[in-house]
Amino acid sequence: MKGVAFFSGGKDGLYALHLAEKGGIEVPYLLALKTTIGLSPHWENLKALKTLAKAMGRKLLAFDMADGSEVLAEFIGSLGVDYLIAGDVLLKDHLKWVELLSEKAGVKPLEPLWRRDTKELAEEILRTGFEYAIIAVKKEKLGKEWLGYTFRSVDDLERFLENNPGIDPIGEFGEFHTVVLASPLFEERFALEVLSTEESERYYWIRFRLVRE
């Protein structure tokens, strides 16, 4: 069985990929989307995503959502895979979109994180060997001083939540976005090198590159 995984470089999608592979699904393709609903800090750092994909030995595919979901479904269907893997946890509208997209593409949706307790999930991700850093914060939820904050252990998570008690532990509601620096999916460890701090309508975010430690 093979799958293609939605890929932003963030912890949720990569942990979903990790669980899919533990379940026996080969995932040779990573799919990055250029959105049409405003600036994406992930897409703006596409070069860093290419670095991660190379470290994992996966083929990185890119799709512009300006072409529409119907064309995306055709594209996914052309890959010869059995599953579309995503890292949704609580956002039902996105889950429904993934399910509809999968149906049109002729593949099965796989959402291994769905309905998990987000604090337990964040702890599990860290204990599994994932490390990740914040690359964007929603302006009305977090200050830009949290850009670059790195989660390497459950202690880092606890410290973050103590300072931000109203924020979901995995940022499921868009409070923050991340990039993975270490994981069981690749041998290298990366450090985050901030190139600039930017501001959009919704986010404070950073341009960065990933440097092997």
Side-chain angles (χ1 to χ4, degrees), residues 127-148:
R127 289 184 174 128
T128 302
F130 281 73
E131 299 175 10
Y132 51 91
I134 294 177
I135 62 165
V137 296
K138 189 177 285 187
K139 290 159 72 172
E140 70 267 25
K141 295 291 185 179
L142 285 168
K144 59 184 175 182
E145 67 272 13
W146 290 101
L147 291 171

Side-chain angles (χ1 to χ4, degrees), residues 4 60 62 65 77 81 86 88 139-140 158 177 191 206:
V4 56
L60 179 60
M65 285 305 298
V81 297
D88 297 303
K139 290 159 72 172
E140 70 267 25
E158 294 292 349
H177 296 271
I206 56 175

Side-chain angles (χ1 to χ4, degrees), residues 14-33:
L14 281 184
Y15 191 59
L17 187 162
H18 173 67
L19 293 180
E21 291 200 325
K22 285 185 67 177
I25 298 170
E26 180 186 354
V27 187
Y29 302 117
L30 306 174
L31 180 55
L33 301 181

Side-chain angles (χ1 to χ4, degrees), residues 58-88:
R58 318 299 168 107
K59 186 172 183 179
L60 179 60
L61 309 172
F63 184 86
D64 189 338
M65 285 305 298
D67 293 331
S69 292
E70 295 287 342
V71 178
L72 176 58
E74 291 176 9
F75 178 65
I76 292 170
S78 73
L79 297 175
V81 297
D82 306 286
Y83 291 93
L84 175 60
I85 302 156
D88 297 303

